[in-house]
Amino acid sequence: SGTDEHGLKIQQAAAAAGTSPAELCERVSGLFRQALSQAGVAYTDFTRTSEPRHQRAVRHFWGALRDGGVLYKGSYEGWYCTPEESFLPESQLAEGTDAQGHPCKVSLETGHEVHWTKEENYMFRLSAFRDPLQNWLRDNPRAIFPDPFYQCVLRWLDEDLPDLSVSRERNRLQWGIPVPSDPTQTIYVWVDALVNYLSVVGYPESHGAWWPAVHHVVGKDILKFHALYWPALLLAAGLEPPERILVHSHWTVRGQKMSKSLGNVVDPSVCVGKYGVDGFRYFLLRQGVPERDCDYYDEKVVKLVNSELADALGGLLNRSTAPSINPSNTYPCFSEPCFPKVLDSREARDTGRACAEDYKLVAAVASLPAQVDSYFEGFQIYKALECIAQCVRQTNGFFQRHRPWKLDRRDAAEQLWLDTILHVTLECLRVYGTLLQPVVPHMADKLLSRLAVGPGERRLSGLTFLARYDGKPCPFEGRQLGPDTGILFHRLGK
């Protein structure tokens, strides 16, 4: 992760704040780092495009483009949007009004004012890369995902593909990396920013250990830069495009686009304060569908998080570890005669105490780790969480159906069945806790610690469920449970 720090809008914002661009970037990049830390987001590297290692990589990349003969100097004019740092074609403009109420042209996508700009720049021969880009996408149909965005890029490649301005006049833009061997020009902010994907993996010397086996995660609003311009620049510099570009849509608020003028911008730090880090992360990942915009409003968060985390998951842990039902505070033993292995759930009648529904639960949870892994790898986290939530509901049904609190412990047969119900329930919870670690790290840690699952027993690889059902030993059986740390997730107020 990191911050893209050059460009005209940064230069203008610093001037308006009466500070230098470097000081502004130092402060703002600190705020981003703080936000990631507050949200429990880890990163291997936080790159800043103002760093010397990045600037060195950009100069080398520019040299590769120049040596490849894809740059030329030309006069460029068009409508420039400073907040978006890009020239926009007439098709992406609308009529609007400026701060003084005068008519002006604005960006159709963002509503930002644009200005007619004419200057001499270095140009990149984007038009020469139509065929290589089309070949790349046809050979790699999953290079851009989800599919609607892949189709969108293919359509762009069928349209006019004008050459790209890749520098700005230095007298207009000082806050950026100068063009090597031409101090009158500054490298265009987007070219500079995109190279961070290379500089962070050691370009130009040691990037080969990673490149091109990388996945970019980008918002749909910057798709053209990442899926058209960036692959073309890479090919021009003698490099392959990234393996995959994963694209996500936006959050709307009660059906409207977030905007400062409407005053409907959602502050993530406020949400973390209201719903907790885990509550907020769970909602965003459970409801966020990459291929379409999703709607956000507070009541929706409260309803979902209370239902699935506090009630369904938290309630299940609470009931299955309560002293009244598990006075020895252990991971109870599984009884094979109570829950014999059958090849088909219809065979379950008249054998043991388990019914057909119980066998359906066991089959569902047994297949869950592979299913969740596949959805995580496929950038469909919401589908993975949907599967987990469904299994949690089934486990609650299992617990409710057999009413372990009604069983008489003094009867040896009843005690065996009670222990088996608890063993199956705790095994289900252990699987859910393991699979939920990337989504709700604090809550998953609390759940697994309560079940006495050690740090080395929390990996997805080798995650086995209900080993005793398959006649294998279970390392947790008979183990003392971890300390009771109270409610797993506190219900949110309206």
Side-chain angles (χ1 to χ4, degrees):
S1 190
T3 42
D4 155 19
E5 300 186 1
H6 292 135
L8 192 59
K9 68 178 172 186
I10 307 284
Q11 185 176 299
Q12 290 177 350
T19 186
S20 71
E23 285 167 338
L24 178 74
C25 291
E26 182 68 34
R27 184 175 66 79
V28 175
S29 70
L31 293 174
F32 274 99
R33 254 188 267 228
Q34 194 180 315
L36 291 174
S37 169
Q38 189 184 23
V41 176
Y43 44 82
T44 48
D45 199 308
F46 190 96
T47 183
R48 296 179 57 193
T49 59
S50 57
E51 292 172 341
R53 62 169 175 166
H54 174 72
Q55 299 194 23
R56 181 173 158 269
V58 171
R59 285 192 290 270
H60 191 279
F61 190 80
W62 183 275
L65 295 176
R66 183 192 56 222
D67 297 346
V70 294
L71 300 180
Y72 65 93
K73 215 165 187 182
S75 184
Y76 193 86
E77 56 184 310
W79 293 102
Y80 194 76
C81 178
T82 300
E84 294 173 48
E85 295 284 16
S86 68
F87 285 95
L88 300 178
E90 286 282 352
S91 59
Q92 287 179 29
L93 301 177
E95 298 298 329
T97 51
D98 64 17
Q100 286 72 45
H102 301 133
C104 69
K105 297 265 190 193
V106 297
S107 162
L108 197 59
E109 170 72 16
T110 63
H112 292 133
E113 189 178 351
V114 297
H115 300 277
W116 187 259
T117 305
K118 183 177 183 179
E119 58 187 47
E120 192 176 50
N121 301 144
Y122 282 96
M123 306 293 291
F124 169 66
R125 297 186 196 280
L126 180 65
S127 50
F129 288 88
R130 185 193 305 274
D131 288 348
L133 289 172
Q134 285 177 329
N135 293 339
W136 163 59
L137 288 176
R138 293 206 173 112
D139 291 346
N140 300 279
R142 288 175 59 77
I144 299 164
F145 184 84
D147 188 63
F149 299 115
Y150 172 78
Q151 299 299 337
C152 176
V153 177
L154 283 178
R155 284 195 300 275
W156 284 337
L157 284 167
D158 284 334
E159 295 168 7
D160 191 29
L161 214 58
D163 288 352
L164 201 59
S165 169
V166 287
S167 72
R168 303 292 314 273
E169 287 178 353
R170 190 80 184 158
N171 57 11
R172 286 178 194 258
L173 176 62
Q174 298 84 46
W175 182 239
I177 302 170
V179 167
S181 74
D182 188 348
T184 67
Q185 295 278 316
T186 300
I187 295 173
Y188 183 49
V189 59
W190 269 102
V191 178
D192 160 5
L194 286 163
V195 177
N196 94 83
Y197 293 117
L198 285 171
S199 60
V200 80
V201 291
Y203 179 83
E205 291 87 17
S206 54
H207 60 286
W210 281 94
W211 204 270
V214 295
H215 292 188
H216 298 340
V217 181
V218 303
K220 67 174 187 177
D221 53 321
I222 49 176
L223 179 62
K224 188 169 272 187
F225 291 95
H226 281 83
L228 212 59
Y229 304 157
W230 177 227
L233 288 164
L234 285 164
L235 290 167
L239 293 162
E240 286 184 59
E243 193 172 280
R244 289 193 91 188
I245 299 167
L246 302 168
V247 190
H248 63 78
S249 298
H250 293 167
W251 284 97
T252 57
V253 175
R254 298 189 183 277
Q256 286 186 300
K257 188 170 181 170
M258 278 192 222
S259 90
K260 286 179 185 170
S261 56
L262 287 174
N264 66 346
V265 175
V266 176
D267 182 341
S269 62
V270 171
C271 294
V272 167
K274 270 201 286 195
Y275 312 125
V277 176
D278 285 346
F280 192 45
R281 285 168 64 113
Y282 185 81
F283 173 79
L284 294 177
L285 292 166
R286 173 81 167 89
Q287 293 284 297
V289 178
E291 56 262 42
R292 63 175 183 271
D293 288 352
C294 298
D295 204 36
Y296 176 93
Y297 50 94
D298 292 324
E299 299 89 331
K300 196 176 182 180
V301 186
V302 172
K303 188 176 175 186
L304 177 89
V305 170
N306 279 347
S307 158
E308 295 191 357
L309 295 188
D311 298 346
L313 193 62
L316 186 63
L317 178 69
N318 198 34
R319 294 164 81 196
S320 57
T321 57
S324 57
I325 210 159
N326 187 353
S328 63
N329 196 40
T330 54
Y331 212 102
C333 295
F334 179 86
S335 165
E336 288 170 58
C338 290
F339 210 128
K341 180 158 188 175
V342 295
L343 296 173
D344 187 325
S345 60
R346 284 168 296 191
E347 294 174 27
R349 278 170 294 195
D350 306 323
T351 58
R353 304 281 295 258
C355 66
E357 284 294 308
D358 305 338
Y359 286 97
K360 283 181 189 165
L361 166 69
V362 167
V365 182
S367 65
L368 190 63
Q371 204 173 21
V372 166
D373 185 35
S374 168
Y375 282 137
F376 276 177
E377 283 296 319
F379 198 51
Q380 293 177 304
I381 299 165
Y382 71 104
K383 285 191 177 178
L385 297 184
E386 209 171 278
C387 293
I388 295 171
Q390 173 61 29
C391 282
V392 173
R393 280 193 291 275
Q394 277 181 267
T395 315
N396 271 299
F398 165 75
F399 200 82
Q400 193 64 31
R401 185 162 56 246
H402 295 300
R403 304 182 170 203
W405 59 91
K406 294 271 191 187
L407 297 172
D408 184 358
R409 259 172 229 294
R410 291 165 301 185
D411 180 322
E414 297 274 276
Q415 178 70 57
L416 281 177
W417 179 225
L418 169 62
D419 286 348
T420 302
I421 294 167
L422 293 180
H423 183 93
V424 172
T425 306
L426 297 190
E427 277 288 274
C428 290
L429 282 166
R430 182 174 64 81
V431 170
Y432 308 148
T434 304
L435 297 176
L436 285 168
Q437 288 175 108
V439 178
V440 284
H442 306 98
M443 192 175 136
D445 173 56
K446 196 172 177 182
L447 191 161
L448 293 170
S449 297
R450 180 73 176 105
L451 300 182
V453 181
E457 299 171 314
R458 300 181 178 191
R459 292 195 181 91
L460 179 62
S461 57
L463 175 60
T464 54
F465 166 66
L466 210 59
R468 293 276 274 108
Y469 177 73
D470 291 310
K472 295 171 186 163
C474 169
F476 303 98
E477 200 170 50
R479 189 183 289 190
Q480 194 70 27
L481 293 180
D484 182 0
T485 48
I487 293 169
L488 184 66
F489 190 91
H490 287 272
R491 279 182 66 83
L492 302 171
K494 289 281 189 293

